[in-house]
Amino acid sequence: MNGDQLMDELFQVISSYRSDDIDIHEAYETTSAMIAANMQLGFCRQINEYSLSKESWIILVYVCTGYYYSPKFTMDSDEFREFFDMRCGLSQLRLFRSNKHELLTKSILEPAGGELANANEWCLSRRAANDLMSELCPVTAKSTKQGVIDAESIGKKALFYPTKTTRQVSELESLLSTEKFQQVQESLEAHGMRKGFACLFYGTPGTGKTETVLQIARKTGRDIMQVDMSQMRDKYVGESEKNVKQIFTRYRRICKESDQTPILLLNEADALLGVRMTNVEHSVDQMENTMQNILLQEMENFDGILIATTNLTQNLDGAFDRRFLYKVEFLKPTPEESRHIWQAMLPEISEEDAWTLAKQYAFSGGQIENIARKQIVNSILFPEEGRDLNKIRQACDSEYLNKKQTRPIGFC
């Protein structure tokens, strides 16, 4: 294999080991065989020359694959409990903290931040990084930040809310500004309180929940790790629960290589935020409860910025309710707000026509945007037809799947 293929394969084996699909003996034997079969690579020749114990070998392979995806990768003390059973994990951690572990005495790993740093995180030493990784393809080409929405890539978009929602969103934007966020976290920590922020955006579809997260990220310069929670379920036993845990593991790694704390966006989190079931009899119900319990535990220990979006308004589990510091409701726009949205989306229509549409159709902002997009498409496909109020009304009527839904906003 070439360097890319080898590191990807090693990463898969370590992931299987961390997920308890294979034990440490199988992980060691598999990775050893892979490296022995690829001695044309300097990485394989060098790692064999270290003559490490089984535990040290597994740790080093893990750190090297992490470094391959991000040069800032570190292994912290909490990960020893994930890597080994309790007894072995504590033994390995004691050796690291006393600087007696062979990976430290051989100068393969070192405390992250230098020798004077707190002994809670470790990384490849500069010499080991050069000896092991220099031949492989550039480590900066791949990153745990792949798939993360860059704050600078988010386009500006006007949003309109009721007065209460406007105030809450403004407060959240202020809180997440660089200066205020650090100040608030330090104050909370000084008072012995959790310094993470969990926010719930709830309301009917199309009212701007996800777009608001994007605009907050743009204004505060924070990247977004977006997760569609509806995709977390897996047909294999135990995989769904691991998927939820891995969300937070990946988020913590992204935090380590980010200048500003990013936003973890849990989109469409309806199912996981509902009331947990009692007297569970079926395995599917047990899986749902376990996923919820993992999410609750992760939120309890969360130090970052989490925003969950959901359409549910009444079925929120009380345990989740307590963990969300901010809860922002997104309502369908009033006629006044709807008029502004119509004019923002279709600036060529008159204020009078915007008022007519706002009063006649109880649309969400997302539905108005759909109609505006259709009008733009039609103006290209059928330029001779022009665009008048009747054409827009036809598009409005077709927007409803059930024509009986059409009704003035005042009667919603």
Side-chain angles (χ1 to χ4, degrees):
M1 292 183 282
N2 61 34
D4 288 345
Q5 294 167 334
L6 177 66
M7 299 310 290
D8 286 342
E9 291 295 326
L10 290 174
F11 177 79
Q12 293 299 324
V13 175
I14 295 297
S15 296
S16 295
Y17 167 64
R18 296 187 72 197
S19 300
D20 294 326
D21 295 329
I22 59 176
D23 59 21
I24 189 171
H25 176 73
E26 187 175 351
Y28 174 75
E29 293 295 330
T30 304
T31 54
S32 297
M34 291 167 61
I35 286 172
N38 289 280
M39 284 298 173
Q40 78 281 2
L41 297 173
F43 169 81
C44 297
R45 295 193 297 272
Q46 182 61 57
I47 199 171
N48 256 3
E49 288 181 12
Y50 289 141
S51 300
L52 300 173
S53 67
K54 184 186 302 181
E55 291 78 13
S56 297
W57 173 279
I58 291 296
I59 291 173
L60 181 56
V61 171
Y62 169 62
V63 173
C64 286
T65 56
Y67 182 94
Y68 173 73
Y69 287 99
S70 170
K72 296 181 181 179
F73 179 81
T74 63
M75 181 176 184
D76 61 42
S77 56
D78 291 337
E79 290 177 288
F80 283 92
R81 287 177 291 186
E82 297 180 18
F83 247 74
F84 306 105
D85 59 41
M86 181 64 70
R87 182 177 178 182
C88 182
L90 290 175
S91 174
Q92 293 288 314
L93 185 56
R94 278 195 293 269
L95 289 172
F96 265 91
R97 284 183 167 165
S98 61
N99 292 318
K100 295 179 180 178
H101 198 281
E102 65 174 327
L103 290 173
L104 297 178
T105 59
K106 293 181 178 181
S107 299
I108 301 170
L109 297 188
E110 64 183 11
E115 293 187 6
L116 298 179
N118 292 331
N120 288 315
E121 291 182 293
W122 297 268
C123 62
L124 277 179
S125 68
R126 182 174 298 182
R127 188 181 74 182
N130 183 65
D131 292 344
L132 288 164
M133 311 300 293
S134 60
E135 185 185 4
L136 300 175
C137 67
V139 293
T140 54
K142 293 190 177 183
S143 166
T144 53
K145 295 188 74 173
Q146 285 186 332
V148 173
I149 301 173
D150 190 320
E152 295 183 357
S153 70
I154 301 170
K156 185 177 181 180
K157 190 170 185 178
L159 296 172
F160 304 92
Y161 314 105
T163 303
K164 180 182 177 182
T165 306
T166 300
R167 177 174 51 79
Q168 289 178 306
V169 171
S170 296
E171 287 178 2
L172 198 52
E173 288 176 0
S174 178
L175 166 65
L176 296 184
S177 65
T178 304
E179 181 181 344
K180 291 282 181 65
F181 182 70
Q182 183 176 355
Q183 183 180 345
V184 170
Q185 280 205 316
E186 290 173 354
S187 180
L188 288 172
E189 193 169 24
H191 285 81
M193 299 179 181
R194 297 195 307 273
K195 61 179 184 179
F197 287 89
C199 313
L200 179 69
F201 287 3
Y202 67 98
T204 55
T207 49
K209 299 184 293 294
T210 303
E211 186 60 45
T212 297
V213 181
L214 293 173
Q215 294 305 310
I216 290 175
R218 180 186 65 81
K219 292 177 182 178
T220 60
R222 299 184 183 278
D223 298 340
I224 299 176
M225 174 183 158
Q226 180 171 335
V227 179
D228 186 349
M229 297 303 289
S230 64
Q231 303 298 317
M232 287 297 101
R233 290 174 179 76
D234 195 289
K235 63 181 178 180
Y236 296 106
V237 175
E239 289 303 309
S240 299
E241 297 89 325
K242 292 174 186 176
N243 289 342
V244 175
K245 192 167 184 63
Q246 286 172 358
I247 291 171
F248 293 88
T249 300
R250 180 167 180 251
Y251 176 77
R252 286 190 286 269
R253 289 177 184 164
I254 291 173
C255 286
K256 290 178 181 178
E257 63 175 74
S258 300
D259 295 329
Q260 285 209 84
T261 304
I263 296 171
L264 173 56
L265 170 58
L266 304 183
N267 225 2
E268 299 183 17
D270 304 57
L272 283 185
L273 299 180
V275 176
R276 285 167 292 174
M277 290 170 278
T278 57
N279 301 320
V280 175
E281 297 180 358
H282 302 290
S283 58
V284 174
D285 296 336
Q286 178 62 49
M287 177 196 72
E288 293 285 349
N289 277 3
T290 304
M291 290 172 70
Q292 288 178 303
N293 289 334
I294 292 172
L295 182 56
L296 285 168
Q297 181 182 1
E298 291 288 353
M299 289 178 68
E300 186 69 25
N301 302 317
F302 192 70
D303 285 341
I305 304 165
L306 182 151
I307 302 179
T309 68
T310 175
N311 298 327
L312 66 84
T313 55
Q314 297 178 339
N315 197 37
L316 183 66
D317 190 287
F320 285 110
D321 192 4
R322 292 190 296 274
R323 283 168 172 78
F324 286 113
L325 185 62
Y326 288 90
K327 306 176 189 69
V328 183
E329 183 177 12
F330 288 75
L331 300 169
K332 277 195 173 183
T334 64
E336 173 68 20
E337 294 153 2
S338 184
R339 175 180 70 83
H340 286 299
I341 297 173
W342 277 111
Q343 289 192 291
M345 296 290 180
L346 295 172
E348 68 274 15
I349 66 174
S350 66
E351 183 175 338
E352 182 181 353
D353 286 348
W355 264 115
T356 299
L357 294 168
K359 292 176 181 178
Q360 185 173 358
Y361 297 98
F363 283 144
S364 67
Q367 288 173 306
I368 295 174
E369 182 176 7
N370 272 348
I371 294 163
R373 292 173 65 197
K374 289 176 186 174
Q375 294 302 301
I376 293 171
V377 171
N378 287 340
S379 68
I380 297 173
L381 296 178
F382 313 106
E384 69 283 355
E385 292 186 2
R387 187 186 300 171
D388 57 25
L389 184 60
N390 288 332
K391 291 290 183 184
I392 298 174
R393 276 177 168 162
Q394 290 174 14
C396 290
D397 292 337
S398 65
E399 179 67 17
Y400 286 115
L401 295 177
N402 180 357
K403 297 297 176 62
K404 292 181 180 179
Q405 289 179 314
T406 306
R407 58 189 184 275
I409 286 181
F411 294 94
C412 288

